[in-house]
Amino acid sequence: MGEPVQIVVFVMAFVTCNALLDLTGVHQVQGTWMGSVTLPCTYMPSDGFTQQTLIWSMERDHSTSTIFRRDYSGDHILLSQFRNRVSVPKHSPGNASLLIENLEIPDSGHYTCQVTWRTKNNSVITREMTTAVKVVKVAATKPIIRAGELGLTVPAGARTSLTCVASGSPPISYRWFRGTPGRKALLLSRQAELVWDSLQPSDTGKYYCEVENRAGAGAVQQSDAVELTVTGLTATKQRSEGGPEEPPVATELLYEVAFHSTADVTRLETDGEVPVMCPHKDTNSKTETSNDTFTVKDSSLDSIHVRKNPEYENLMNAMELEYETERI
């Protein structure tokens, strides 16, 4: 009775291990000319099963050639046309996927992933799967514009960028313009990214980009225009654009004049000349001076006391060096 039980357990263990070692991938992949593609080939690692070899081969025109081999001695690329273009992840148990870069049209074909394991009792198990690869030329698509982290409304002085994004067979050429598609525009750059290190109010405007590639037979694809707005205009800029002007600066009085008379003074008229000189100058009129006030006397006027405003004393000292008051 014990023997059938042992057989059942052995069969279940064998089936389970086989299921764990099954390769997983896809049956067909389309790659873009001059682009890159990954051919998936994965399995679930299992205790007691050690990978011995990994082989990627290619079949084209009824001829099969080994592209890549991994064994105890390392990785080996056996076809010169794939050197520096294919690789398999290292230090990633269970991942045997093949990456092919810079795809060429002749890379189209059937690729087979073959993995061999050795068990603890030195048994050998081999699994393989095949993926069909088709390399095509794809024209550049209509580009879209991606704004930087600050968006399309950015304060003056900030750093920002606009990126032109398109898909298709590389290489893709880019051109940036200021203006609107279909109208006269200014060429700014031939890079995918348009960058401002310090935005100015004059950078406000509409921008768009163009792309093209060899697969598109010279067809140019244009993006829609986006509008970039730079905020924080200066007062000078605002005035130049019709904004409100700043109020005029009030002119402050340099002197305080007090009229001393026995009657109210409502109007001052005189035909006579009243010469007044600076306190440190000589004068022909009768003038009394002091550090704070000086008095001018005339026959047709009451006494007029002119008192310096201490707040403007320094300003007047500077003015007196260039000007001499001749008349009041």
Side-chain angles (χ1 to χ4, degrees), residues 26-283:
V26 295
H27 295 293
Q28 188 172 357
V29 170
Q30 179 172 291
T32 303
W33 177 57
M34 295 303 292
S36 61
V37 68
T38 297
L39 310 185
C41 182
T42 60
Y43 64 89
M44 182 69 70
S46 178
D47 292 339
F49 291 81
T50 305
Q51 179 179 304
Q52 294 294 293
T53 61
L54 165 62
I55 297 174
W56 275 97
S57 59
M58 174 190 179
E59 180 185 356
R60 190 168 190 266
D61 299 331
H62 306 290
S63 175
T64 302
S65 303
T66 299
I67 300 172
F68 177 91
R69 178 185 176 90
R70 173 177 289 172
D71 55 27
Y72 67 92
S73 64
D75 293 351
H76 309 278
I77 298 174
L78 304 178
L79 282 183
S80 59
Q81 71 189 68
F82 286 100
R83 285 177 184 168
N84 301 320
R85 294 203 297 128
V86 298
S87 61
V88 175
K90 292 183 178 181
H91 313 297
S92 182
N95 189 357
S97 303
L98 180 71
L99 171 66
I100 309 175
E101 299 178 285
N102 300 321
L103 285 166
E104 299 287 353
I105 298 300
D107 293 339
S108 297
H110 291 80
Y111 291 75
T112 299
C113 172
Q114 183 186 82
V115 182
T116 301
W117 299 269
R118 185 175 295 277
T119 65
K120 290 181 178 180
N121 60 2
N122 289 327
S123 298
V124 175
I125 299 176
T126 301
R127 293 286 183 273
E128 62 182 34
M129 68 165 298
T130 300
T131 301
V133 176
K134 184 178 181 180
V135 180
V136 297
K137 292 184 177 181
V138 178
T141 59
K142 178 179 178 177
I144 60 173
I145 296 176
R146 291 180 181 170
E149 294 181 358
L150 299 178
L152 292 174
T153 302
V154 187
R159 186 181 191 277
T160 194
S161 65
L162 297 176
T163 304
C164 188
V165 181
S167 61
S169 298
I172 298 176
S173 61
Y174 299 85
R175 289 182 294 274
W176 273 102
F177 296 88
R178 178 167 183 171
T180 304
R183 299 182 181 180
K184 186 176 180 180
L186 176 65
L187 176 63
L188 301 176
S189 171
R190 295 183 182 273
Q191 303 296 322
E193 188 178 31
L194 186 62
V195 179
W196 291 267
D197 290 327
S198 180
L199 278 169
Q200 301 300 317
S202 58
D203 294 321
T204 294
K206 292 185 177 181
Y207 297 84
Y208 71 95
C209 67
E210 290 182 347
V211 299
E212 64 177 315
N213 64 355
R214 288 181 289 174
V220 176
Q221 299 288 339
Q222 292 181 332
S223 72
D224 295 327
V226 297
E227 186 164 5
L228 179 68
T229 302
V230 182
T231 61
L233 301 182
T234 62
T236 302
K237 182 70 175 178
Q238 289 176 337
R239 289 196 301 272
S240 68
E241 295 182 353
E245 295 186 358
E246 294 181 354
V249 179
T251 303
E252 299 187 22
L253 298 176
L254 299 182
Y255 290 94
E256 295 177 359
V257 181
F259 294 89
H260 300 278
S261 175
T262 57
D264 293 336
V265 178
T266 58
R267 184 175 181 184
L268 178 64
E269 294 181 355
T270 179
D271 293 330
E273 295 182 354
V274 185
V276 176
M277 306 300 292
C278 297
H280 63 280
K281 300 284 186 177
D282 293 335
T283 178

